[in-house]
Amino acid sequence: MTDQPTHPRRRTVVAGLGAALAAPGLALAQAPRWKPERPITIYNPFAVGGITDLHMRLVGEKVGKVLGQQVLVEARAGAAGTLAPAALMTAKPDGHTLAVYTINSLRYPHYQPVNWHPTKDFSFITGLSSYTFALVVKADSPWKTVEDLFAAGKASPEKHTYGTSGIGGSGHLMMIEIEQKVGSKFTHIPYKGGAEWMQALLAGQIDFLADASQWGPFVDDGRCRILAMVTETRLPKYPNVPTLRERGIDAIGQSPYGLVGPKDLPPAIVQSLYDAFNDANNDPATLELLSRYIQVPWKKNPTEYRAFAEGYFNSVKPLLIKAGLAKA
């Protein structure tokens, strides 16, 4: 696995054409009421090369063509995906600095001190997508079923390792819940994003993955296998792969993400950004990318997104207490 800085700040130019060159098929319902005066920077909470990075580059390219300015994607990986929105605390509310906001940012303040409030300090713009969770091993793993995996975790507690996007992230919480239900115990290895944990799995540095669908292409090309989906129902793409629920284990991975700006972003700017990013997110090329990584659009307008964030932040604490990550 390639070493990376603790806080990578790689900036990628993803668009630079004028509105007159808007991509075919990207039609806004109305002309944007606000346009940026300089490039827009989006902070990506995970490492370069992961699905979130790829998603934002593609969406940013399309938005840049519509709004007439470049869109830059800058990695701010670490702290379970919360460094990106935290960076907005010093940004001006002018629409030129945004961040991908994962569900981890609604959990993290319950068990770690932070200098921001997960709902009061952000302007919610649009929902983007939701990660799809599974338990995945290399193709040559001796474990053929999820029961084999859990048996190994019981026979040799903490011997076998799994990778996720970070302590307190969706994958980590999911595994804590699974361990409590099945009586197995594994060792958690946190990474900054999907590109890193896939390298680790393929190199044999960890035994399995318990996280989102960065594994999709590797399952499709035969280098990895899915032991079980941690979803409500089977996926049409993998009709022969059972869910944990089918195995009698009631656990589901939940991890939507969206786009936010600094607090007090003017409504006209929020609406213009929502229009542009929502249309770009529903463009056929974006849908194809999401499908490749077993994801679908997570459609939320600014009002719906804020309502979701406030509701989830207030309701998730009991789960974190049960997991031993937060105090009552």
Side-chain angles (χ1 to χ4, degrees):
M1 181 170 63
T2 303
D3 291 334
Q4 296 191 19
T6 303
H7 303 295
R9 294 174 180 249
R10 176 176 171 180
R11 175 173 287 189
T12 306
V13 178
V14 297
L17 300 180
L21 299 178
L26 182 62
L28 295 179
Q30 60 184 17
R33 289 171 285 182
W34 168 86
K35 284 197 174 183
E37 299 175 354
R38 59 183 185 277
I40 294 174
T41 296
I42 300 176
Y43 296 137
N44 166 31
F46 300 120
V48 173
I51 176 56
T52 311
D53 182 56
L54 297 175
H55 185 190
M56 296 319 301
R57 290 192 202 186
L58 181 58
V59 170
E61 179 181 356
K62 297 177 183 303
V63 169
K65 291 174 181 178
V66 171
L67 295 183
Q69 288 286 349
Q70 296 175 335
V71 176
L72 311 172
V73 179
E74 183 175 316
R76 294 291 182 96
T82 64
L83 293 184
L88 294 181
M89 293 304 96
T90 58
K92 295 180 179 180
D94 59 9
H96 294 90
T97 310
L98 310 173
V100 175
Y101 189 92
T102 74
I103 202 169
N104 290 348
S105 292
L106 296 169
R107 300 168 178 153
Y108 204 67
H110 284 301
Y111 55 84
Q112 290 288 340
V114 295
N115 64 349
W116 43 269
H117 190 279
T119 60
K120 296 177 181 178
D121 285 334
F122 301 100
S123 297
F124 291 84
I125 297 169
T126 184
L128 290 170
S129 186
S130 184
Y131 305 114
T132 299
F133 285 76
L135 302 179
V136 177
V137 296
K138 284 180 64 178
D140 60 359
S141 169
W143 303 323
K144 303 303 181 184
T145 67
V146 72
E147 286 80 9
D148 293 339
L149 170 64
F150 295 153
K154 289 180 181 179
S156 302
E158 300 185 342
K159 174 183 177 181
H160 304 292
T161 57
Y162 69 94
T164 79
S165 62
I167 296 172
S170 295
H172 184 208
L173 290 179
M174 180 183 78
M175 277 305 301
I176 290 175
E177 186 175 10
I178 290 172
E179 288 176 331
Q180 291 176 343
K181 291 179 181 296
V182 303
S184 301
K185 187 64 177 175
F186 302 96
T187 295
H188 178 219
I189 308 295
Y191 292 91
K192 294 176 181 176
E196 288 190 4
W197 74 56
M198 285 310 311
Q199 291 178 12
L201 180 66
L202 295 174
Q205 296 169 350
I206 54 177
D207 295 306
F208 68 101
L209 297 176
D211 217 290
S213 48
Q214 184 79 18
W215 39 260
F218 300 87
V219 169
D220 294 344
D221 69 15
R223 284 183 282 176
C224 295
R225 283 189 291 108
I226 307 173
L227 295 182
M229 299 301 305
V230 195
T231 52
E232 292 187 9
T233 60
R234 294 193 184 199
L235 295 187
K237 185 171 183 178
Y238 304 116
N240 296 322
V241 179
T243 66
L244 282 187
R245 276 188 166 180
E246 291 178 64
R247 299 302 201 198
I249 304 162
D250 190 14
I252 295 175
Q254 181 183 21
S255 189
Y257 61 94
L259 197 67
V260 299
K263 70 176 180 179
D264 299 326
L265 202 58
I269 296 179
V270 171
Q271 185 63 45
S272 183
L273 290 169
Y274 168 74
D275 289 339
F277 278 94
N278 181 60
D279 282 337
N281 203 44
N282 288 291
D283 183 80
T286 306
L287 296 177
E288 191 281 329
L289 174 72
L290 293 176
S291 176
R292 194 187 321 157
Y293 287 94
I294 331 298
Q295 295 188 194
V296 296
W298 187 61
K299 298 182 180 181
K300 297 288 181 185
N301 64 33
T303 301
E304 293 168 337
Y305 194 4
R306 173 167 291 281
F308 167 83
E310 292 174 347
Y312 186 84
F313 175 66
N314 291 328
S315 66
V316 72
K317 190 172 182 179
L319 172 62
L320 299 176
I321 293 172
K322 183 179 179 181
L325 293 172
K327 296 181 179 179

